[in-house]
Amino acid sequence: YTVSTKEQGKMPADIKKMNFEDALEELEDIVRTLEDGSGALDEAIDGYERGAWLKKRCEEKLTEARTRVDKIVVGTDGSGSTEPADLD
């Protein structure tokens, strides 16, 4: 997959539709291929560029998940409530 000059800076539509698991799986495949070093240079560059987009998608999905996670807090009177989790 090649990102044209016109598309640079814009995530490819197929990646934008991916869930975390699919993006991570493809990213892992690309990393294995690059580590193997058996492909042509142009293919490696294309793979690297696509891998960068997949990494960005995984980060977006993790950020989305982080904002959706709440932690349960028990008050001194035993009542329960939720508040955003501090995951840092």
Side-chain angles (χ1 to χ4, degrees):
Y1 177 81
T2 303
V3 178
S4 70
T5 305
K6 185 177 179 181
E7 292 178 311
Q8 286 180 350
K10 184 176 179 185
M11 184 177 293
D14 66 321
I15 294 176
K16 195 163 187 80
K17 294 177 186 175
M18 286 183 166
N19 63 31
F20 175 81
E21 291 79 8
D22 291 341
L24 182 61
E25 182 178 343
E26 185 175 341
L27 178 57
E28 289 172 340
D29 289 343
I30 289 171
V31 168
R32 276 191 290 277
T33 300
L34 291 173
E35 287 178 343
D36 184 35
S38 61
L41 178 60
D42 286 342
E43 291 172 0
I45 292 169
D46 290 346
Y48 181 85
E49 289 174 350
R50 184 159 176 88
W53 283 118
L54 291 163
K55 177 183 175 282
K56 181 174 176 67
R57 181 63 178 162
C58 287
E59 290 170 344
E60 287 176 356
K61 295 305 285 182
L62 287 172
T63 299
E64 287 175 21
R66 178 176 280 192
T67 60
R68 294 176 58 195
V69 173
D70 289 334
K71 72 176 177 181
I72 298 171
V73 179
V74 178
T76 55
D77 63 356
S79 65
S81 65
T82 61
E83 64 182 43
D86 182 13
L87 302 175
D88 290 327

